[in-house]
C-alpha cells in the first residue's frame, strides 16, 4: 500500500491480509504491470501453461490480473469469498507460481489480459 491510501481501502487491505490474502494497492499493481508490459523477454510458454486451468480458474486469474481482491471476485462471479480464494490457490498451484503477483505477470505474459484493459 502507498502512504496516500484512503482509509476505507486501508481497512479492506488489513482485512484481506488478516484473512491470509496477499495484496498490492491498485497504484502499485498498475506500475508493476506497466513496467513488465514494456519488457520484450516474455515467456513463450505462458499461454500454454494457462491451458492447465479450468474455465472458471482462467476467469478468476483474469480478474486477479485486473486487480480485484478475492471478495471483489466473489461478488463479480456470485460465489463465496472462500470459493474465490480456492480458485486462486488452485491456479497458483497448477501454474507453479509463488503468489498472486506472479499470477498477474503470467496473465500478462500470456496475453490473457493487456495493459489498460
Amino acid at each position: 500500500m502507498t502512504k496516500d491510501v484512503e482509509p476505507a481501502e486501508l481497512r479492506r487491505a488489513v482485512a484481506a491480509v488478516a484473512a491470509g490474502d496477499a495484496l498490492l494497492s491498485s497504484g502499485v499493481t498498475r506500475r508493476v504491470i506497466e513496467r513488465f508490459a514494456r519488457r520484450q523477454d516474455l515467456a513463450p510458454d505462458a499461454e500454454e501453461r494457462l491451458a492447465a486451468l479450468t474455465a472458471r480458474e482462467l476467469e478468476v486469474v483474469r480478474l486477479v490480473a485486473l486487480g480485484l481482491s478475492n471478495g471483489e471476485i466473489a461478488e463479480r462471479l456470485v460465489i463465496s469469498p472462500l470459493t474465490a480464494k480456492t480458485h486462486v490457490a488452485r491456479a497458483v498451484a497448477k501454474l507453479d507460481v509463488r503468489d498472486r503477483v506472479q499470477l498477474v505477470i503470467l496473465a500478462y505474459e500470456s496475453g490473457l489480459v493487456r495493459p489498460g484493459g
Side-chain angles (χ1 to χ4, degrees), residues 75-109:
E75 203 172 286
R76 172 99 42 111
L77 300 179
V78 192
I79 58 177
S80 76
L82 182 58
T83 300
K85 185 175 180 177
T86 298
H87 285 308
V88 171
R90 286 185 182 155
V92 165
K94 284 182 178 182
L95 296 171
D96 193 29
V97 295
R98 191 173 40 244
D99 52 29
R100 288 174 80 101
V101 173
Q102 284 192 331
L103 198 60
V104 170
I105 291 169
L106 184 62
Y108 277 86
E109 285 182 334

Side-chain angles (χ1 to χ4, degrees), residues 10-117:
L10 182 58
R11 282 191 293 278
R12 283 192 301 273
V14 170
V17 171
D21 292 332
L23 184 76
L24 287 176
S25 71
S26 58
V28 171
T29 302
R30 188 172 18 265
R31 285 192 300 263
V32 168
I33 290 167
E34 287 170 356
R35 183 177 207 171
F36 191 80
R38 287 191 298 265
R39 293 179 51 188
Q40 298 300 312
D41 59 338
L42 300 179
D45 68 334
E47 189 172 354
E48 184 178 307
R49 289 175 66 191
L50 289 179
L53 301 180
T54 65
R56 180 60 102 181
E57 290 165 348
L58 196 59
E59 187 174 18
V60 168
V61 169
R62 182 179 293 110
L63 295 173
V64 168
L66 293 175
L68 275 64
S69 69
N70 289 345
E72 292 166 331
I73 292 168
E75 203 172 286
R76 172 99 42 111
L77 300 179
V78 192
I79 58 177
S80 76
L82 182 58
T83 300
K85 185 175 180 177
T86 298
H87 285 308
V88 171
R90 286 185 182 155
V92 165
K94 284 182 178 182
L95 296 171
D96 193 29
V97 295
R98 191 173 40 244
D99 52 29
R100 288 174 80 101
V101 173
Q102 284 192 331
L103 198 60
V104 170
I105 291 169
L106 184 62
Y108 277 86
E109 285 182 334
S110 69
L112 180 64
V113 288
R114 300 210 185 280

